[in-house]
Amino acid sequence: MRIAIVDDLADERVLLRQRLEHQLARRNVQADLLEYESGEAFLTAEQDEPFTVAFLDIYMAGANGIETARALRQHNTDCLLIFTTTSTDHALEGFQVRAMQYLVKPFTEDDIAQLMNEIFARLPQPDKYMALKTSEGELRLAYKNILYAEHFAHVIYIHTTAGKTLTTRQPFKTFIEPLKDDPRFFVCGRGVIVNLEHAADLDSAAFRMADGSNVGISQDLLKSARQAFMEFLLQRGTDL
C-alpha cells in the first residue's frame, strides 16, 4: 500500500503523515508514506510506481491539486484521491476527477480515523503485521508470511514462508491475541497455531503445509479444525 502526501507546506505534510502513521499502527497495517512538495513531483513519482491513495492539497504553487488530479486521471483511474483544503469551493471539480473525500483543514484525529475506515472499506483488505523482538532484532512480520508457530519453554518458534524460523520470548496467549480474529489462523492445540492460508490438506490428525511439514492437531480439536479449514476454503473460493 503506497500513500502519497502532496502539499507545498512542509508542516502540513508532517502533521498529516504523523496522524496517518498513528491510524495505520492502530490497525497493524503496513504502508509506504511518501511526501511531495508539488503536484509535478508527485506525478513524476507516480509514473514509476502507482499509488493506492493520494492526499492532494488544492492550493499549491505550480500545478494545484485539481490540475494534478486531472493529469493523474489520464492514466490512473484506481488511485483513491482525497483533497486537503481549507474550503470545499472546488467540490464540482473534485466530482469530475472522482475524488473520494475532502479533508478540510484543520482536521482532527477523529477525522483521519473516519477517513481511514472509508479507505479500507474500498480497498482489498491489506495484510496485517505484528511487531516482534526476535533473536534477529526487532522486525515487522506480515501475517501472510507465517506458516505456523509453536511454543516451547517460554520461546515461540515462528516458521515462515521464507523457510526461516524466527524465535521470540513472550507468552503464547500474548502472541496469538492479534491473530484470533483473523480467519486464516487456527489454534491446533496447546502452544500451536497454524495459518490455514498455507495448509495444503488436512489428514486424520494434522495439517499438511505447503512446505511439506505437518502440524499436529489435538484430538479434541479435530472436528473444529475440519470445520475451520472447510469454511476458510469456501471463503477463499468466494473471494477469488
Side-chain angles (χ1 to χ4, degrees):
M1 183 177 184
R2 281 166 51 85
I3 300 176
I5 301 171
V6 189
D7 197 313
D8 55 356
L9 298 178
D11 289 347
E12 297 285 351
R13 296 197 305 271
V14 170
L15 176 61
L16 180 54
R17 183 189 184 104
Q18 289 174 341
R19 290 187 169 169
L20 289 173
E21 287 175 339
H22 177 65
Q23 292 300 322
L24 290 165
R26 283 183 56 193
R27 294 165 171 80
N28 285 343
V29 174
Q30 191 167 10
D32 295 325
L33 281 77
L34 295 97
E35 299 179 28
Y36 301 96
E37 62 180 6
S38 70
E40 292 89 348
F42 160 69
L43 290 170
T44 298
E46 197 277 336
Q47 289 177 356
D48 293 332
E49 187 173 354
F51 286 91
T52 314
V53 183
F55 289 82
L56 301 178
D57 181 45
I58 288 184
Y59 301 106
M60 292 187 292
N64 64 33
I66 296 295
E67 293 167 341
T68 301
R70 286 174 178 159
L72 174 70
R73 285 297 188 234
Q74 291 179 9
H75 62 275
N76 186 328
T77 59
D78 296 327
C79 180
L80 298 181
L81 292 180
I82 296 96
F83 286 122
T84 58
T85 179
T86 54
S87 75
T88 56
D89 292 343
H90 296 273
L92 177 59
E93 292 96 327
F95 176 78
Q96 291 172 339
V97 294
R98 297 184 299 284
M100 172 185 159
Q101 187 60 274
Y102 276 81
L103 188 60
V104 180
K105 303 175 183 179
F107 47 80
T108 67
E109 190 74 42
D110 287 342
D111 292 334
I112 299 296
Q114 182 176 345
L115 179 58
M116 293 304 288
N117 289 338
E118 294 178 22
I119 288 172
F120 289 133
R122 296 194 182 201
L123 295 174
Q125 189 64 33
D127 198 39
K128 296 183 177 182
Y129 70 89
M130 57 172 58
L132 290 172
K133 291 183 178 180
T134 73
S135 56
E136 298 185 6
E138 295 188 10
L139 54 82
R140 291 180 173 184
L141 178 63
Y143 290 7
K144 65 182 180 182
N145 293 333
I146 301 172
L147 283 173
Y148 64 98
E150 306 169 286
H151 187 232
F152 297 112
H154 308 296
V155 176
I156 295 175
Y157 297 83
I158 308 167
H159 304 270
T160 70
T161 55
K164 299 176 64 175
T165 300
L166 304 173
T167 60
T168 182
R169 287 185 173 273
Q170 60 177 291
F172 186 68
K173 182 178 180 181
T174 302
F175 176 77
I176 68 171
E177 183 62 31
L179 304 176
K180 289 193 303 184
D181 294 329
D182 192 311
R184 289 174 293 183
F185 291 90
F186 181 79
V187 177
C188 301
R190 188 174 181 180
V192 181
I193 189 169
V194 67
N195 186 347
L196 300 178
E197 187 175 15
H198 302 299
D201 202 358
L202 189 160
D203 62 19
S204 59
F207 284 108
R208 179 166 55 81
M209 307 304 292
D211 67 344
S213 59
N214 291 302
V215 180
I217 307 166
S218 296
Q219 188 66 32
D220 59 335
L221 292 174
L222 279 173
K223 184 176 180 180
S224 297
R226 293 191 186 96
Q227 181 176 350
F229 192 39
M230 182 178 296
E231 290 176 355
F232 174 78
L233 292 176
L234 288 172
Q235 182 60 46
R236 185 168 64 179
T238 301
D239 292 339
L240 293 177

